[in-house]
Amino acid sequence: MGARAIIDDGLRRVARRQHGCVTLAQARAAGASPAALSRRVRSGRLERRHAGVYQLPDLADELTAATAILLACPAAVLSHRGAARVLELDGVDGSHAEVTVPPSTHLRADGVHRSADLASHEVIVVGGLRTTDATRTLCDLGAVCSLDVVEQALESALRRRLTSLPRLRWRIEALARSGRSGPPQLRLVLDRRPPGPPTESMLETLFVQCVRAGGLPDPIRQHQVRDAGGRFIARADLAYPSHRVLIELDSWEHHHDRRAFQHDRGRQNALVTLGWTVLRFTWEDVTCHPADTAGVVRAAIAARPPVS
């Protein structure tokens, strides 16, 4: 392997760990002289993103621009949709990755927010990237995402115990101020959220949003059904107990083997004999036909007068 190939290999090894980016110091450590870097920039094999930061175009991904800022500015932190992307929160489009920097930072780039109140306890490292933690990310997310997306991200963060409802309300109050839209948007999501556990999947969150958009109240989550003697029969994904309407959300991942198939049928028969209407919906039902799905639930509720 020639000297040029050795340098290129070293640059690529570093860039693969940093979403296609490499710093000037890292390039020099790989053996690239200033002249070698200039040749690569002229030929298009490298692109200069910021002072002392380069990008290998063929290794770029949705976090490249944000990573370049983090490498150029030690005080920068991945935030908003960028933080939600690396935290793997539900519903967030990671192709827009924002970064938060102190107000005094002179760096200019798309997706840069400035904040004077980002606390050290709100910054963590995920995959080698400095990022806001789940609590701060959710407080910021409403500034760039819809309420439904914030709710999807919230439920996944609660499900994975990345934050808690008391902690979120504490940070909302600390961060709320005139002109900042993220905390009040999160407060709206929390205020409309019924008491109880988080949804157990993205599909459950989407179903709740689906029936809510259809004018129905939020169903009860993870409702336990027992017979007259108190014997446990089933735990429903979602339910309207007063109408004895139970909703099961089916995914192939959890219902693909023979044992699961047989268990589901026996369980459903037991629920029907106890007077429950059991409705089953798939991802396609909820995401592709939301109005029809809400209509089926509405009709089932209308057909079952409330029981005391």
Side-chain angles (χ1 to χ4, degrees):
M1 185 182 292
R4 179 178 297 180
I6 291 173
I7 293 172
D8 286 339
D9 181 66
L11 292 175
R12 296 183 72 81
R13 279 191 284 109
V14 173
R16 285 192 187 98
R17 300 194 301 267
Q18 299 178 160
H19 300 277
C21 296
V22 59
T23 66
L24 177 59
Q26 290 168 337
R28 287 177 174 171
S33 66
L37 289 174
S38 296
R39 285 194 298 271
R40 285 165 172 78
V41 170
R42 288 195 299 271
S43 68
R45 291 153 66 192
L46 277 182
E47 292 179 3
R48 187 176 180 275
R49 295 299 304 239
H50 301 287
V53 180
Y54 299 86
Q55 168 194 324
L56 278 70
D58 64 317
L59 295 181
D61 61 27
E62 60 190 15
L63 288 176
T64 298
T67 302
I69 294 173
L70 298 185
L71 292 173
C73 177
V77 176
L78 203 60
S79 63
H80 300 70
R81 287 171 290 191
R85 158 73 169 75
V86 300
L87 292 170
E88 298 181 343
L89 301 185
D90 283 352
V92 181
D93 177 7
S95 62
H96 301 281
E98 288 91 358
V99 170
T100 292
V101 300
S104 59
T105 303
H106 297 298
L107 185 144
R108 295 288 183 270
D110 292 337
V112 173
H113 297 258
R114 285 172 165 74
S115 174
D117 56 10
L118 181 61
S120 59
H121 66 79
E122 296 179 305
V123 180
I124 59 176
V125 177
V126 179
L129 300 175
R130 298 184 305 280
T131 182
T132 53
D133 67 1
T135 303
R136 179 58 186 253
T137 299
L138 289 165
C139 287
D140 290 338
L141 208 51
V144 293
C145 293
S146 69
L147 290 180
D148 279 353
V149 170
V150 174
E151 181 179 25
Q152 292 159 22
L154 166 69
E155 293 298 328
S156 66
L158 293 174
R159 187 184 314 133
R160 294 165 53 205
R161 300 183 179 181
L162 299 179
T163 187
S164 67
L165 295 175
R167 185 172 182 81
L168 287 166
R169 290 201 178 275
W170 166 63
R171 287 310 289 160
I172 286 172
E173 296 310 313
L175 295 171
R177 67 165 184 264
S178 177
R180 172 176 274 171
S181 57
Q185 291 290 89
L186 178 58
R187 184 187 289 115
L188 287 175
V189 171
L190 293 178
D191 287 347
R192 76 181 185 185
R193 184 182 186 276
T199 59
E200 293 191 309
S201 67
M202 173 69 157
L203 180 55
E204 285 190 23
T205 308
L206 292 174
F207 181 87
V208 170
Q209 293 176 341
C210 165
V211 295
R212 188 191 296 143
L216 294 168
D218 282 17
I220 301 300
R221 304 169 183 188
Q222 301 166 38
H223 179 70
Q224 290 191 3
V225 178
R226 298 181 181 273
D227 65 15
R231 182 170 62 94
F232 176 82
I233 301 299
R235 183 174 68 82
D237 291 335
L238 301 158
Y240 292 94
S242 63
H243 294 270
R244 295 218 167 199
V245 172
L246 180 150
I247 294 101
E248 293 287 81
L249 299 172
D250 293 336
S251 67
W252 181 246
E253 178 185 359
H254 298 114
H255 299 84
H256 70 281
D257 62 48
R258 189 179 187 86
R259 176 178 294 181
F261 181 88
Q262 187 65 39
H263 175 266
D264 284 352
R265 270 62 197 167
R267 178 174 175 273
Q268 181 160 328
N269 289 341
L271 289 165
V272 171
T273 61
L274 289 174
W276 287 81
T277 295
V278 181
L279 303 178
R280 308 188 79 101
F281 298 102
T282 65
W283 180 273
E284 183 175 352
D285 292 328
V286 176
T287 60
C288 299
H289 311 288
D292 292 342
T293 296
V296 170
V297 177
R298 188 182 304 108
I301 290 174
R304 302 294 304 269
V307 294
S308 57

